[in-house]
Amino acid sequence: MPIQILPPDVTAQIAAGEVVERPASVVKELLENALDAGARTITIEIEGGGRRLIRIADDGSGIPAAEVELAFARHATSKLRRADDLDHITTLGFRGEALASIAAVAHVTLTTAARGEAMGTRVRVVGGELVSHERIGAPAGTIITVENLFFNVPARFKFLKAETTERSHIDGLVTRYALAYPDRRFRLVHDGRKAFEGGGTGSLYDVAIEVYGLDTAREMLRVHGEHQGITVSGYVTPPHITRANRGQITLFVNGRWIQDQRLTHAVVQAYHTLLQVGRYPMGVVLMALPPEDVDVNIHPTKAEVRFRDGDSAFSAVQKAVRGALISGAPIPEAQAPGTPVTAPRAAVPWSPWQAADDVPPAAFQARFPGGGPAEPPLVPEAPGEDGGRLGERLPILRLIGQVGATYLIAEGPEGLYLIDQHAAHERVLYEQFMAERGQHEVSSQALLEAVAVEVPPDRVAPLETQLPLLNALGFTVEHFGGHSFLVRAMPAAFARQDPAALLNAIADELETGRAPLEREVERRLIVRVCKQAAVKAGQVLTAAEMQELLTRLEACQSPRTCPHGRPTVIHFSAGRLAHEFGRT
Ligand code: ADP
Ligand code: MG
C-alpha cells in the first residue's frame, strides 16, 4: 500500500481508542467534566454494565449555547489556552479529547443549559456525526447520555468483559471519586437500582461509611501529614483489616485519581512488619501539592502523573500513613520483627506440664506401645520441608494442654507435637465440608430469622454473580437491594457462625476483576469460609474442645497442613528432645 494520510473517521477511531478503553473510562471522563463544571450533585445511571447506556447528570455550569457543538471537536477545551498553562493545570480535564472520543464510538445525546442563559441546547452525535441540534428549555447543568458504546468498533466491543466486571469497574471508580470529593453528592444507579449514594456533607468519614461499611470505617485511621510542601490526608485501615491485593489502595493527586506503583508501595511500606505476607491495606490517600510540581500531561487517560520530586512524594505518603498507624494503633509488641508471637489478648496460665505429671522424654514410647521412634531429625519437622510427609496421617495423640491460647501441646509415640489451633481447625472444617460436598450431601440449616448483611459496594456485583454457587454450597442468600444481601440459611457445618462475618469473608475473596475457573472459585470460597469459621489464635479452649479438635485432626486425610498449605503441626521427636537436653 502507498503511504496515505488517514481519513478523519479512521483517525478519530484510533484516537478514541486511547481515551475510551471500556465503559468505566467513559464514566471517568464524564465525571471529571461534571466536577470541573463545579457540580454539587452528580447522578450516574448505568444500563447493561455501561454498554447499553451511561447517563451522567450534573448541576454544574452547563455549556453556553454557542459552544455546544465545539465541545465535540477534538482538542476543543475551555480549560487551557496556551502551552505554558500546562504547567499549572488545576482542572481534571485539559486535553479537550473526551467528548470527541466518546462521540466517535457511541450514540451521544447532550442536553445542557449554561447558568444565566434563558434556553438550553440538545445535540445528538452518532459516531462523530452531528445528527440534530435543538434549543430547548432545561435547568442549569448538563445531562449527557452515551448509548451503544463501541457500536462501530466491533473489535473493542468483543473485548469487553462480562457485564458484572464492567459494572464493578464503574462502582470502583465512582466510590473512589466520592471519597476524594466528599463535598459533592454522588448517586450511582445500575439498571434502575441504586448501587451507591454518598457525599455532599464535606466529611470524608461519612463517605467512608458508605464505601467501606460502618464496621470498617469505624476502625479506619485518619491520615494527616505535611512534608516538603506536600499535604497528605485520607483514611487507611489498621493492620488487621486487609485485602489480598493492592487494588483497594487509592491515590489522588490534586483531586485526580492516579495509578502509581511507587506511591502504592509507600503506603504498604508504612505498615512495615505489621501486615501478613500477601495482605494489603485499604484506604484512600489524598495528596495536595502546587500544580507546577506535578506533570499531569504524560498519559492519554491522565491516569499517571510525574512528580518533580518523586522522592519527597514517596516520603510524604509513607510518613503520613506511618504516622496514622503509630498514633491510631500502637504497634503491638508481638508483631515487632524477631519477636515471637504471643497471645494477643487473654493472659493464659502456662501450665501444661503440670497438668500432665512429669513426663521425661524417654517415657514417650512407653506410653504408646507399638509406636517406635524414627531416626532423630536435627530440626523440628515442619511439614512441607519434607514433601514425603505432607500427606501423612497423624498418630493418636494425647492432649497435654494449650499454650498462649494459640497452640495445643500433645504427645504421641514419636515425641512432642505442637499444634496451631487455628490452622488445625481450618483443616478439619475443610475436610469435613469437602467430604459432604463430594457426596452431594451438604446440609443446609435455615436461620431462625433471615439476616441482612451489608457488603462494600464494589463487592455487590461479584457476590451477586456467585449466588448460584453459594446456594449450591448450602447457603441461601439473595440480593436485598443496594449493598444488602439477605442470608436465610447456612451450611450446617457453619450454622453457629455469624452470617455477616461469613458473607463478608466470601465477598472479600471475590476480588474485583478476577474471574478464575468455577472450580477454583468454589475451592477458594470454601477455604475462606473455613478460615473465617475456625477458632482463632488467642481463643482459650476448654479441655473438651481441645480434645475434640485433636481427635478430628487425627481423622483428617492431610492433617499436617491447613488448606492454605501452612503447617498445622510441628513435631519434636523424642530423639531430638534427648539430643537437645544433652542426653545423647
Ligand atoms: P476537557 O475536559 O479536556 O476540556 P472534554 O472533551 O471532556 O475536554 O470537554 C470539552 C469541553 O466541554 C470542556 O472543556 C467544557 O468546556 C465542556 N464540558 C464538557 N462537559 C461539561 C459539563 N458536564 N459541564 C460543563 N461543561 C462541560
Ligand atoms: Mg474532560
Side-chain angles (χ1 to χ4, degrees):
M1 267 198 283
I3 298 176
Q4 295 179 318
I5 305 254
L6 291 169
D9 57 324
V10 181
T11 53
Q13 272 205 13
I14 292 174
E18 281 205 337
V19 179
V20 188
E21 189 202 338
R22 62 193 325 160
S25 3
V26 173
V27 178
K28 174 172 180 283
E29 293 296 336
L30 300 182
L31 260 186
E32 291 189 347
N33 282 349
L35 290 166
D36 281 344
R40 311 305 309 169
T41 303
I42 302 172
T43 304
I44 303 121
E45 285 169 75
I46 305 292
E47 283 175 22
R51 301 175 189 191
R52 198 159 56 242
L53 178 139
I54 297 168
R55 177 180 294 127
I56 301 201
D58 71 58
D59 57 357
S61 63
I63 307 176
E67 298 175 12
V68 173
E69 282 184 30
L70 196 55
F72 284 93
R74 192 160 296 279
H75 310 304
T77 179
S78 58
K79 303 169 191 178
L80 192 72
R81 284 275 157 273
R82 302 178 325 202
D84 49 2
D85 291 343
L86 278 170
D87 297 341
H88 40 262
I89 297 281
T90 54
T91 48
L92 296 169
F94 56 86
R95 305 172 77 101
E97 285 192 309
L99 290 188
S101 296
I102 295 166
V105 294
H107 297 189
V108 176
T109 309
L110 174 85
T111 307
T112 187
R115 218 165 283 279
E117 290 191 0
M119 288 289 278
T121 310
R122 173 175 292 163
V123 294
R124 212 171 138 67
V125 184
V126 171
E129 300 287 326
L130 180 76
V131 296
S132 70
H133 183 146
E134 52 192 316
R135 311 287 327 260
I136 55 157
T142 302
I143 304 172
I144 178 159
T145 308
V146 177
E147 288 163 289
N148 310 322
L149 185 62
F150 300 135
F151 78 98
N152 54 353
V153 198
R156 198 43 79 84
F157 190 84
K158 253 196 339 237
F159 277 101
L160 283 181
K161 294 282 186 312
E163 193 173 309
T164 49
T165 310
E166 298 303 335
R167 209 179 127 159
S168 44
H169 277 279
I170 295 172
D171 294 353
L173 179 94
V174 173
T175 49
R176 283 180 171 96
Y177 269 89
L179 285 164
Y181 291 86
D183 57 334
R184 324 288 178 101
R185 183 137 196 95
F186 292 81
R187 196 180 141 81
L188 173 64
V189 176
H190 280 288
D191 301 315
R193 285 205 293 196
K194 186 181 84 178
F196 174 79
E197 183 161 20
T201 65
S203 149
L204 178 52
Y205 183 66
D206 288 347
V207 187
I209 293 174
E210 294 300 327
V211 173
Y212 300 108
L214 180 61
D215 290 345
T216 302
R218 225 189 239 148
E219 295 213 45
M220 285 181 105
L221 309 170
R222 202 163 81 88
V223 177
H224 178 67
E226 207 271 341
H227 177 73
Q228 296 185 340
I230 303 175
T231 312
V232 183
S233 58
Y235 277 99
V236 293
T237 50
H240 66 277
I241 302 181
T242 56
R243 287 284 165 91
N245 62 39
R246 297 173 181 81
Q248 289 294 321
I249 302 171
T250 301
L251 299 164
F252 274 84
V253 173
N254 290 347
R256 183 187 304 283
W257 180 23
I258 59 148
Q259 319 291 319
D260 189 312
Q261 285 196 2
R262 192 148 176 257
L263 291 183
T264 304
H265 183 60
V267 174
V268 176
Q269 219 188 57
Y271 286 73
H272 194 45
T273 57
L274 300 176
L275 296 170
Q276 273 181 32
V277 179
R279 301 299 299 182
Y280 300 93
M282 300 192 268
V284 52
V285 174
L286 311 168
M287 303 169 71
L289 68 168
E292 52 273 19
D293 288 349
V294 50
D295 186 355
V296 295
N297 187 28
I298 63 164
H299 193 267
T301 67
K302 303 162 286 178
E304 287 169 23
V305 299
R306 190 177 294 125
F307 294 93
R308 181 188 287 182
D309 182 352
D311 291 344
S312 41
F314 185 96
S315 303
V317 168
Q318 197 211 30
K319 282 192 160 75
V321 174
R322 188 76 182 160
L325 292 167
I326 289 171
S327 57
I331 298 159
E333 199 125 294
Q335 311 234 21
T339 318
V341 177
T342 57
R345 277 178 281 277
V348 179
W350 201 94
S351 59
W353 294 110
Q354 291 143 29
D357 45 274
D358 194 29
V359 185
F364 279 119
Q365 248 187 301
R367 285 178 176 276
F368 295 93
E375 254 322 88
L378 289 177
V379 289
E381 285 166 27
E385 282 174 1
D386 162 4
R389 288 194 152 263
L390 220 60
E392 200 178 302
R393 306 285 286 260
L394 285 178
I396 291 177
L397 299 174
R398 188 181 75 86
L399 176 72
I400 297 171
Q402 189 184 26
V403 57
T406 298
Y407 307 106
L408 308 189
I409 299 185
E411 68 168 330
E414 293 176 22
L416 174 72
Y417 293 77
L418 267 180
I419 295 139
D420 181 317
Q421 65 191 35
H422 172 69
H425 198 200
E426 277 184 279
R427 164 55 64 187
V428 164
L429 291 171
Y430 179 72
E431 289 206 5
Q432 181 194 340
F433 195 83
M434 284 313 236
E436 286 182 9
R437 178 98 180 109
Q439 290 158 10
H440 302 286
E441 41 184 55
V442 174
S443 41
S444 179
Q445 191 167 318
L447 302 179
L448 285 178
E449 228 173 288
V451 178
V453 179
E454 292 255 310
V455 304
D458 64 329
R459 293 301 137 95
V460 172
L463 197 56
E464 212 180 356
T465 322
Q466 298 299 346
L467 287 184
L469 174 60
L470 288 187
N471 293 340
L473 292 177
F475 288 89
T476 307
V477 182
E478 62 201 55
H479 194 183
F480 191 44
H483 327 165
S484 289
F485 287 80
L486 209 56
V487 183
R488 296 191 183 279
M490 308 228 285
F494 306 116
R496 277 181 304 177
Q497 300 294 321
D498 170 19
L502 228 47
L503 199 66
N504 267 296
I506 289 170
D508 184 25
E509 196 58 39
L510 298 170
E511 304 249 359
T512 310
R514 284 209 254 153
L517 296 172
E518 184 88 351
R519 283 205 71 78
E520 179 52 24
V521 178
E522 175 179 321
R523 204 193 76 86
R524 267 198 359 230
L525 287 191
I526 296 171
V527 168
R528 187 66 186 85
V529 166
C530 292
K531 179 183 165 71
Q532 179 63 37
V535 295
K536 304 288 180 288
Q539 204 167 320
V540 180
L541 302 179
T542 65
E545 287 167 337
M546 289 189 262
Q547 188 56 61
E548 190 192 331
L549 180 54
L550 267 196
T551 311
R552 288 171 69 184
L553 188 65
E554 286 164 15
C556 282
Q557 299 289 328
S558 309
R560 289 170 192 261
T561 54
C562 78
H564 302 94
R566 285 193 293 273
T568 53
V569 180
I570 295 177
H571 173 207
F572 296 84
S573 70
R576 160 119 209 261
L577 290 172
H579 179 80
E580 291 287 318
F581 284 107
R583 287 170 171 268
T584 53

